[in-house]
Amino acid sequence: IYDKGGFLAAEKKQKGDSRMRAGAVIAAAGTPGGFRAYDKLENTDRSAMLRRMIHTFRRAGVEDVAVVTGDRAKETENSLAKLGVVFLRCGDYEAAQMIDLAVQGFQYLRNCERLFFCPADVPLFAEDTLKKMLLQDAPIVIPVHDGRKGHPVLINACLTDSIAGYQ
């Protein structure tokens, strides 16, 4: 279901509330070439991309941010240490699937009613987009631009156990 704001929302089941505690999980465990866009971003300062993502989430009112690290974890954690985010290490990041990284973050952020999920290679989203997503009355909200689905995805926490069980 597409709404007028350019969002793909799953079947509406409950009233959305932007005041519900929202968290964000950023999957930053991959190696260059591991996911679709890393080949093009291999020489990009990934700490700068992550910093931008974290600041955008915070400006939108998302206080709890978990960054799942793996490849170059120490470097990433050291460069972002003062931003007040939680770092979760994925020990087997070379074999991990994107869903594994999401679930690791979801399990840590159990105190949040709604959770954004985003891979680290998609840093260009706006604060306004996040705020509009939080206002949607749906358990899953996916931003859409020119007919293409994107990130971050907003998920109601009641769905995270089902996501964790998906294998």
Side-chain angles (χ1 to χ4, degrees), residues 121-135:
D121 63 349
V122 187
L124 300 177
F125 50 87
E127 169 189 351
D128 200 44
T129 300
L130 300 177
K131 287 179 177 179
K132 287 178 182 177
M133 290 175 73
L134 287 167
L135 293 173

Side-chain angles (χ1 to χ4, degrees), residues 73-113:
K74 266 192 172 177
E75 175 187 329
T76 301
E77 293 165 10
N78 288 339
S79 67
L80 303 173
K82 294 181 181 178
L83 296 181
V85 299
V86 172
F87 298 98
L88 306 172
R89 286 218 185 154
C90 179
D92 62 342
Y93 66 90
E94 292 173 324
Q97 299 291 315
M98 188 68 72
I99 194 168
D100 300 323
L101 306 178
V103 168
Q104 187 174 353
F106 295 162
Q107 289 174 342
Y108 183 83
L109 295 175
R110 287 209 178 268
N111 62 327
C112 298
E113 290 93 357

